[in-house]
């Protein structure tokens, strides 16, 4: 057994150089230890009882989860250089994602395939696709027994046995899984906290707890080893129920002193609290902490807490933070309901104003005439009667009919919006108005977009903002459209008092083509 004091980390600056920099980055022997962070008193209900609780942040490995250590160890012992070209593993997420990165970085194997349950969440499936995994789904239990010939675990095993080019690490039967925590995680914790009294980890494949429990039984037998299982009939991503632990062949029973069963609501709640306090971790991390709390509560009620303490009278407890919360965000809301979360103000806007904006689609008032109009003489010297809208262009004026009749750009068409008036607030300052305008604009342009699509369209309103919304809608429908920054008011600043249209105004309803 390695003595943790024998190895001095040579990479104090946490920098990785050279052509093999990524390999060093993923190698725990080239990194500083992953952080061990004490919970402040307000997160530790047993602080007054002489209990200090530390989170081992396995999330800080480059692969961002506790399964990186087993993946490293299993692939190191099974990949054959120059021969292995595919990895296959049955995994619900973290293990096979870690394998895909480590296989590529450490061994140059780019083909990693995930076998997993058809009950896996859409978020996890997309996450695995994001990391380049080839996915095959299997029906039946989401956590099949490792030796069940009908399940994906044994399917992966059979495929690997049939080809010398395929490796199935098989986290459920591979001793290099749990031995990775004897090799790395245990020595890190012991070096960081040699006075440790209690160790807590969840039970999934049982690899983490088997490795850590075995390690501390050897180097510090006084450490109380707590394994955590899911409550019967409940589910937390990663760990298993005690009933599902029975067929697991790792020597987990000799690696734990007691088992706690924890429910999902408490797990997600504690994970949420930890995240908001700066310890970013997923539901299985809250699950581990809840198991620790339950165990401490029982010892306190029985008056046996002093038996857990070290010579200094303090109980130093470590629990593992296993992965990140982001892939489980929907589950937090499903499990915990709305109460822990602030409501979204102006939520009605999630269904409207859905298209992009671009500053380049807003034209300054001085640009309008040279870009949209023509004249036999230079525009600056032309009379209004000489200015003609170029045939490839259209100008839509969203103002009310009486305002349009009083003044409008030559050749423009009036498409009055019922939600726009000379004294109406900007739609961007009034979410209700924005919703009404967007719905109305979508309806109008649905009726006329086939004609407008052949033209470059300029949209005018009172202050430029409603026209900006209209331009966003038109652009989303494939129409080349711009708006006038500042609207009608900006245009009036740049024309003389004599610049008033003498053309007959045209008012267009939504049912009339803009011809």
């Amino acid at each position: 057994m390695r003595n943790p004091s024998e190895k001095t980390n040579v990479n104090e600056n946490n920098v990785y150089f050279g052509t093999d920099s990524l390999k060093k980055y993923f190698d725990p022997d080239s990194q500083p230890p992953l952080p061990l962070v004490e919970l402040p008193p307000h997160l530790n209900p047993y602080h007054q009882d002489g209990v200090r609780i530390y989170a081992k942040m396995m999330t800080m490995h480059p692969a961002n989860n506790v399964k990186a250590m087993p993946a490293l160890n299993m692939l190191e012992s099974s990949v054959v250089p120059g021969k292995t070209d595919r990895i296959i593993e049955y995994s619900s997420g973290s293990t096979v994602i870690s394998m895909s990165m480590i296989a590529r970085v450490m061994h140059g194997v780019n083909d990693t395939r995930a076998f997993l349950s058809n009950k896996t969440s859409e978020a996890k499936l997309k996450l695995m696709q994001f990391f380049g995994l080839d996915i095959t789904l299997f029906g039946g239990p989401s956590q099949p027994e490792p030796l069940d010939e009908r399940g994906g675990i044994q399917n992966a095993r059979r495929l690997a046995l049939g080809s010398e080019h395929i490796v199935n690490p098989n986290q459920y039967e591979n001793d290099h899984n749990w031995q990775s925590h004897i090799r790395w995680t245990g020595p890190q914790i012991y070096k960081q906290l040699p006075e440790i009294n209690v160790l807590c980890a969840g039970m999934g494949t049982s690899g983490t707890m088997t490795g850590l429990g075995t390690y501390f039984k050897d180097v510090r037998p006084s450490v109380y080893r707590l394994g955590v299982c899911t409550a019967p009939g409940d589910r937390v991503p990663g760990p298993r129920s005690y009933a599902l632990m029975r067929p697991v062949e790792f020597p987990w029973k000799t690696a734990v002193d007691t088992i706690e069963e924890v429910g999902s609501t408490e797990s997600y709640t504690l994970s949420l609290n930890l995240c908001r306090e700066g310890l970013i971790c997923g539901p299985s991390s809250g699950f581990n902490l809840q198991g620790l709390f339950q165990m401490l509560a029982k010892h306190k009620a029985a008056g046996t807490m002093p038996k857990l303490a070290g010579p200094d009278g303090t109980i130093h407890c470590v629990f593992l933070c296993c992965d990140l919360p982001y892939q489980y965000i929907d589950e937090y809301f499903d499990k915990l309901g709305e109460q822990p979360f602030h409501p979204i103000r102006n939520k009605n806007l999630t269904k409207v104003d859905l298209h992009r904006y671009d500053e380049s689609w807003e034209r300054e008032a001085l640009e309008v005439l040279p870009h949209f109009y023509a004249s036999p003489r230079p525009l600056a010297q032309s009379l209004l009667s000489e200015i003609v809208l170029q045939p490839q262009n259209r100008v839509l004026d969203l103002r009310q009919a009486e305002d349009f009749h009083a003044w409008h750009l030559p050749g423009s068409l009036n498409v009055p919006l019922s939600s726009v008036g000379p004294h109406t607030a900007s739609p961007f300052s009034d979410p209700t108005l924005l919703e009404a305008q967007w719905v109305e604009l979508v309806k109008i342009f649905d009726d006329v977009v086939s004609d407008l699509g052949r033209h470059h369209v300029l949209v005018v309103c009172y202050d430029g903002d409603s026209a900006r919304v209209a331009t966003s809608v038109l652009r989303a429908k494939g129409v080349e459209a711009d708006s006038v920054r500042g609207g009608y008011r900006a245009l009036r600043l740049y024309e003389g008092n004599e610049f008033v249209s003498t053309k007959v105004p045209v008012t267009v309803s939504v049912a009339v083509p803009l011809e």
Side-chain angles (χ1 to χ4, degrees), residues 362 448 493:
E362 289 188 87
V448 299
L493 290 175

Side-chain angles (χ1 to χ4, degrees), residues 346 424-434 463 465:
N346 303 329
T424 304
S426 165
F428 302 116
S429 65
D430 183 347
T432 303
L433 177 61
L434 177 58
D463 62 3
D465 285 349

Side-chain angles (χ1 to χ4, degrees), residues 469-481:
V469 178
T471 298
S472 172
V473 174
L474 286 169
R475 288 274 181 171
K477 293 180 179 295
V479 177
E480 184 183 7

Side-chain angles (χ1 to χ4, degrees), residues 16 86 125 133 137 221 230 253 297 350 373 447 451 483 495:
Y16 306 88
R86 182 184 302 171
L125 292 174
L133 285 154
L137 300 180
T230 56
K253 292 181 181 178
T350 60
Y373 289 87
D447 293 334
D451 173 68
S483 63
E495 53 84 19

Side-chain angles (χ1 to χ4, degrees), residues 344-361:
I344 298 175
R345 296 178 177 86
N346 303 329
K347 193 172 183 179
N348 55 314
L349 293 186
T350 60
K351 298 181 180 179
V352 300
D353 192 32
L354 303 178
H355 310 309
R356 65 176 287 242
Y357 290 79
D358 195 302
E359 292 293 318
S360 66
W361 302 342

